[in-house]
Amino acid sequence: MLVLAFVFILATGPLLSTVAAQSPEHVILARKYAPEWRFHSKETFFPSSVEFFLENVVLLDQSKKVVQEKPTAQGLSNPSEQGEGLYLTTNIDSGRNGWLQGYKPSTHPSPVCAFVSPKDNGVTDIYYWLFTPFNSAKDVPLAGRIGDHVGDWERMMVRTVDGVATHVDYHAHANTASTIPWEFAPKFDGGRRPIGYIAQGSHGIWEVVGAHNYVHGRVLGQNINLDDITDDGGIHWDTRDSIVALQYPGTYGGNLSWLNFKGKWGNEGFTNCWWFVIYPNCKLSDGPFGPYRDDMAGGLSQVIGKPSLSETSSFTFYLSGANDPDNTDFVGLQQICESTVNREISKIVGTARRSNKVTITLAACPFGSHITSYTIGVCPFEDDWSSCVFPISHRPIRAYGNHGLQDAASIAVVDLDTWNWSNVVRAPPKRPIAPAHHR
């Protein structure tokens, strides 16, 4: 049996200089696409600066021992391991109606960190981070309130290619995200910059107003839903004059030393609620990690393609030349299809000779199915798809036609986020050579 273990990760191109200073071109780019954030009309908890937040917290270890009183922006990363395993903590009850409400940005705008991350194929991604001192919980039947936490970091990302915006990536609550082609993203400033709608209390950033479900389950016969609510009736904050452009990746010093902090930006959460084994958040959850995160080296949350009217799909993607598996001349692509009736999964495979830029054409999804994701793998033989080995992870796909998001059985994709071969244990063998006949 052919055995191969490997993992694919997104390549980030050559490692950039590890200094925080940003080039003038990147500062201009970050300001060029700075978003307008629209808060809910009933929002109570607004942004603040990091410095204001730190004046009101203490740094504790897991035994509740005080490590620093009122840590400073410069000193926050000084503890051992840059604060890993530590918590920035406060008395929530005394602060809920006071400093935890932050400042309304209409009268007291706070700095907005904008990490500018150059990547392969002309891509530069700009990550705009919203910081608020407090995240307000959701009311859930049978459980009460779920998800209060001190400190709240949320973000949206604008993708540019050769300096021109092509997509907007909206994020809410860690794993909830949606990628929108630039032409479909809501915009202001004469259509030049994007809008993000900030959910009431929890500050997830969404592309439209309304209710957005991000957790759905069923417990004891009851539906358990967590929804973000956005509207257009609150404060509209143009962030351009608040932008602090930062290089990613980078290391930071001085008044930006807090970016190196690896601890939690809030109190340690509870684990004693009865539903914790089902959904690991009680009334109080752990504070989040800070904005300097590894996933900013990655790509779009979803790959965007255009529905095709033909009976074939076309995928163009890029491969890094680093760490290629030995003895693999061919690359395979697996298109994942899902039935719209019973959600049955089917997979369609195509192959091509490996190069830095690969295009593979393969059959459309079966009738009544649509494309949900794709992945690539290694194939020892071009004409034997059964020998290809694919990773478990896939890149989600969204199809946008002339009228917006739609299901598609066939698609045309150009994925600029480079695939990088990594962690190869053993490469597949070449085709066995038949033994010579002896006379």
Side-chain angles (χ1 to χ4, degrees), residues 107-168:
T107 57
H108 195 120
S110 303
V112 173
C113 290
F115 289 92
V116 183
S117 179
K119 297 169 183 174
D120 293 335
N121 307 316
V123 169
T124 298
D125 291 335
I126 313 162
Y127 296 84
Y128 299 94
W129 283 92
L130 170 69
F131 177 67
T132 53
F134 191 70
N135 177 101
S136 184
K138 308 287 188 181
D139 290 313
V140 178
L142 300 180
R145 292 183 64 77
I146 293 179
D148 271 348
H149 61 81
V150 173
D152 197 13
W153 287 102
E154 299 284 356
R155 78 180 190 217
M156 64 184 285
M157 180 261 273
V158 174
R159 163 151 296 186
T160 67
V161 178
D162 298 328
V164 178
T166 61
H167 301 82
V168 184

Side-chain angles (χ1 to χ4, degrees), residues 298-331:
L300 295 171
S301 299
Q302 291 100 20
V303 178
I304 300 298
K306 292 186 176 182
S308 173
L309 298 178
S310 72
E311 295 182 357
T312 59
S313 291
S314 172
F315 289 82
T316 298
F317 56 93
Y318 293 80
L319 293 173
S320 168
N323 301 320
D324 283 351
D326 294 333
N327 304 321
T328 54
D329 295 327
F330 302 100
V331 61

Side-chain angles (χ1 to χ4, degrees), residues 112-429:
V112 173
C113 290
F115 289 92
V116 183
S117 179
K119 297 169 183 174
D120 293 335
N121 307 316
V123 169
T124 298
D125 291 335
I126 313 162
Y127 296 84
Y128 299 94
W129 283 92
L130 170 69
F131 177 67
T132 53
F134 191 70
N135 177 101
S136 184
K138 308 287 188 181
D139 290 313
V140 178
L142 300 180
R145 292 183 64 77
I146 293 179
D148 271 348
H149 61 81
V150 173
D152 197 13
W153 287 102
E154 299 284 356
R155 78 180 190 217
M156 64 184 285
M157 180 261 273
V158 174
R159 163 151 296 186
T160 67
V161 178
D162 298 328
V164 178
T166 61
H167 301 82
V168 184
D169 219 37
Y170 292 87
H171 279 252
H173 317 300
N175 295 324
T176 305
S178 59
T179 304
I180 309 294
W182 179 255
E183 59 265 36
F184 289 101
K187 290 182 278 292
F188 77 115
D189 192 16
R192 290 184 287 267
R193 294 190 281 146
I195 294 169
Y197 295 96
I198 311 301
Q200 182 186 5
S202 57
H203 311 119
I205 306 179
W206 301 87
E207 70 272 22
V208 294
V209 299
H212 310 276
N213 181 256
Y214 62 94
V215 172
H216 175 74
R218 192 167 178 83
V219 179
L220 301 178
Q222 295 288 325
N223 289 326
I224 303 297
N225 293 300
L226 296 182
D227 294 332
D228 268 356
I229 307 298
T230 59
D231 72 17
D232 202 19
I235 293 171
H236 292 191
W237 179 24
D238 180 350
T239 63
R240 183 159 58 188
D241 291 337
S242 299
I243 294 297
V244 178
L246 301 166
Q247 179 174 291
Y248 183 92
T251 55
Y252 307 93
N255 62 358
L256 293 175
S257 296
W258 60 270
L259 287 166
N260 304 315
F261 179 63
K262 296 181 180 179
K264 296 290 187 73
W265 285 75
N267 296 31
E268 184 175 9
F270 302 149
T271 60
N272 58 352
C273 52
W274 64 265
W275 61 86
F276 191 80
V277 294
I278 303 169
Y279 179 68
N281 283 280
C282 296
K283 179 181 179 181
L284 181 66
S285 302
D286 277 4
F289 290 108
Y292 189 84
R293 301 184 187 182
D294 292 343
D295 64 353
M296 290 193 295
L300 295 171
S301 299
Q302 291 100 20
V303 178
I304 300 298
K306 292 186 176 182
S308 173
L309 298 178
S310 72
E311 295 182 357
T312 59
S313 291
S314 172
F315 289 82
T316 298
F317 56 93
Y318 293 80
L319 293 173
S320 168
N323 301 320
D324 283 351
D326 294 333
N327 304 321
T328 54
D329 295 327
F330 302 100
V331 61
L333 184 143
Q334 191 177 71
Q335 175 181 269
I336 311 301
C337 309
E338 180 179 294
S339 169
T340 55
V341 177
N342 56 16
R343 305 195 70 178
E344 181 179 345
I345 300 297
S346 57
K347 301 175 182 180
I348 299 172
V349 176
T351 61
R353 186 169 292 277
R354 196 182 70 208
S355 64
N356 289 335
K357 181 180 179 182
V358 181
T359 296
I360 293 179
T361 300
L362 65 171
C365 290
F367 179 77
S369 298
H370 64 277
I371 299 168
T372 60
S373 63
Y374 91 101
T375 190
I376 64 169
V378 291
C379 301
F381 321 119
E382 185 176 20
D383 55 352
D384 182 6
W385 297 348
S386 64
S387 66
C388 299
V389 181
F390 295 96
I392 296 174
S393 60
H394 299 79
R395 291 187 180 175
I397 290 177
R398 305 180 98 188
Y400 270 84
N402 293 333
H403 302 291
L405 183 65
Q406 65 183 77
D407 290 339
S410 58
I411 198 168
V413 167
V414 178
D415 186 357
L416 295 180
D417 289 320
T418 303
W419 290 91
N420 185 24
W421 308 99
S422 179
N423 299 336
V424 177
V425 176
R426 184 161 63 249

